[in-house]
Amino acid sequence: MKYSELVDSGATPTEIQGFLTNSESVSVTLRMPRSLRDSAKEAASLSGMSLASYVKMCLIDRLSGADRK
């Protein structure tokens, strides 16, 4: 199943989060301004996590709708 199919089917945020986290890991390279990277690293550190974990958390929250009220 694809993400778009899951959303179209009316899946709950919890179901979408499960779909997004239950898969194999892949390597991704991002190009971004140094200031953005440094700020994100600082925000991650303040939250007690690595930059990679912080980015994953932000993506999962955004894609699952958990960040929308």
Side-chain angles (χ1 to χ4, degrees):
M1 177 175 276
K2 293 165 69 173
Y3 168 75
S4 58
E5 294 170 341
L6 193 62
V7 171
D8 289 342
S9 74
T12 67
T14 302
E15 291 169 327
I16 295 171
Q17 287 174 354
F19 171 79
L20 295 171
T21 58
N22 292 324
S23 185
E24 74 277 359
S25 293
V26 295
S27 179
V28 176
T29 300
L30 297 172
R31 299 242 179 243
M32 64 179 74
R34 183 182 311 268
S35 58
L36 178 59
R37 186 211 51 195
D38 292 347
S39 296
K41 283 173 70 173
E42 184 177 357
S45 178
L46 290 171
S47 296
M49 60 183 74
S50 69
L51 177 58
S53 295
Y54 186 77
V55 169
K56 286 187 259 185
M57 180 194 69
C58 291
L59 285 169
I60 290 167
D61 286 350
R62 179 71 178 169
L63 292 169
S64 69
D67 66 341
R68 294 180 216 126
K69 304 256 179 200

